[in-house]
């Protein structure tokens, strides 16, 4: 079956512009996660969705970052007024459910590489 | 807070030999899961193997096995019979039940398999 799909695969933007990154999770997965991978900071958690709700937004670095999920499926991560330090690979993952079960395997997409000039 | 440490930034292994990638972790939660992911140059994070904190036996998945030493808080990945396609970044990650749903990742190890 299809895995996690992210688009675009690459995005180049100018400082100050807004960008939208899209994630299409594995069909039937109720939990969705966004992470950021950068050279200096490694892999960082951004936000978690259970269905359309985001009970954990603790990793969003500033109020310029927001995310939504509609229909329990596709999610969009929006970065407003992009800065050069936002340059990174943004990875999306999904799992069959959230909750407190430790074995909750997250399956990742190939990411969107964002470059802010 | 959870922390994952991978002390080997890069490693070489000869094709067909076994290799061990180190991972140590720190958490105060008695219930947690440990994961290994492979990230080839294409960028996708590929799930390899899982070990639960209460599992009595070490996890195995094909050529991958996890050497889980709970008292030492280590969860080393062993790859047997290395193949050229194993060349990639490898990340150890943890999810603790009292830390929500996020994965905490180590800094990764770049494995290079020599022909």
């Amino acid at each position: 079956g299809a895995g996690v799909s992210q688009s675009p695969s690459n995005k180049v933007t100018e400082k100050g512009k807004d960008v939208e990154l899209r994630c299409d999770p594995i069909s039937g997965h109720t939990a969705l996660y966004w992470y950021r991978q950068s050279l200096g900071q490694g892999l960082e958690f951004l936000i978690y969705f259970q269905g359309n709700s985001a009970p954990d937004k603790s990793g969003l670095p500033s109020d310029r970052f927001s995310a939504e999920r509609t229909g329990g499926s596709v999610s969009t991560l929006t970065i407003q007024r992009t800065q050069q330090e936002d340059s990174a690979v943004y990875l999306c993952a999904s799992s069959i459910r959230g909750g407190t079960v430790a074995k909750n395997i997250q399956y990742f997409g190939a990411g969107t590489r964002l470059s802010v000039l | 807070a959870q922390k994952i440490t991978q002390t080997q930034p890069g490693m070489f292994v000869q094709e067909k030999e076994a290799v061990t990638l180190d991972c140590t972790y720190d958490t105060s939660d008695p219930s947690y899961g440990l994961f290994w992911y492979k990230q080839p140059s294409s960028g996708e994070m590929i799930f390899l193997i899982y070990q639960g904190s209460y599992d009595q036996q070490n996890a195995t998945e094909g050529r991958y096995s996890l050497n889980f030493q709970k008292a030492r808080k280590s969860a080393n990945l062993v790859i047997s019979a290395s193949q050229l396609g194993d060349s990639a970044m490898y990340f150890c990650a943890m999810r603790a039940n009292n830390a929500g749903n996020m994965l905490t990742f180590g800094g990764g190890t770049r494995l290079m398999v020599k022909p």
Side-chain angles (χ1 to χ4, degrees):
Chain A
V4 177
S5 177
Q6 292 188 247
S7 61
S9 54
N10 284 282
K11 176 71 176 179
V12 180
T13 191
E14 294 179 349
K15 178 181 172 182
K17 300 280 191 183
D18 296 353
V19 294
E20 286 189 351
L21 313 180
R22 175 189 167 105
C23 173
D24 200 344
I26 293 171
S27 177
H29 280 194
T30 63
L32 185 146
Y33 315 78
W34 284 97
Y35 292 83
R36 179 168 72 173
Q37 185 175 24
S38 57
L39 280 176
Q41 302 297 322
L43 273 149
E44 306 170 281
F45 167 79
L46 297 178
I47 188 169
Y48 154 66
F49 285 93
Q50 180 58 47
N52 292 335
S53 302
D56 189 351
K57 306 178 183 180
S58 61
L60 294 178
S62 75
D63 59 8
R64 295 186 296 104
F65 288 73
S66 63
E68 66 174 11
R69 189 179 184 196
T70 55
S73 181
V74 172
S75 175
T76 303
L77 177 69
T78 301
I79 309 173
Q80 295 178 311
R81 305 181 302 283
T82 52
Q83 304 293 313
Q84 288 182 332
E85 61 262 29
D86 299 335
S87 296
V89 176
Y90 290 82
L91 290 163
C92 176
S94 70
S95 64
I96 196 161
R97 64 183 185 278
T100 57
V101 176
K103 185 177 183 179
N104 191 15
I105 297 167
Q106 297 180 22
Y107 296 93
F108 284 79
T112 294
R113 182 175 298 277
L114 176 66
S115 300
V116 182
L117 306 179
Chain B
Q2 280 61 238
K3 186 175 180 181
I4 297 281
T5 303
Q6 295 180 253
T7 58
Q8 307 151 313
M11 288 193 70
F12 284 95
V13 63
Q14 199 68 40
E15 190 179 10
K16 299 181 184 177
E17 291 185 350
V19 62
T20 297
L21 306 184
D22 294 342
C23 172
T24 58
Y25 61 92
D26 191 23
T27 180
S28 58
D29 193 333
S31 179
Y32 53 88
L34 295 156
F35 305 78
W36 277 91
Y37 285 87
K38 171 184 178 181
Q39 188 178 41
S41 56
S42 60
E44 184 173 356
M45 298 280 281
I46 301 167
F47 166 73
L48 295 178
I49 195 166
Y50 164 84
Q51 180 83 43
S53 59
Y54 295 119
D55 292 346
Q56 296 298 308
Q57 294 188 329
N58 287 344
T60 60
E61 290 284 350
R63 294 187 299 111
Y64 304 109
S65 60
L66 205 151
N67 184 1
F68 181 46
Q69 298 187 44
K70 193 170 181 177
R72 297 180 62 182
K73 293 190 174 180
S74 74
N76 298 340
L77 177 69
V78 180
I79 306 174
S80 63
S82 296
Q83 302 172 355
L84 295 179
D86 294 336
S87 294
M89 283 290 289
Y90 288 81
F91 290 93
C92 180
M94 176 171 64
R95 181 182 174 277
N97 274 7
N98 69 0
N101 292 271
M102 59 182 279
L103 288 173
T104 300
F105 286 87
T109 295
R110 180 171 297 281
L111 178 66
M112 290 151 282
V113 181
K114 297 186 290 185

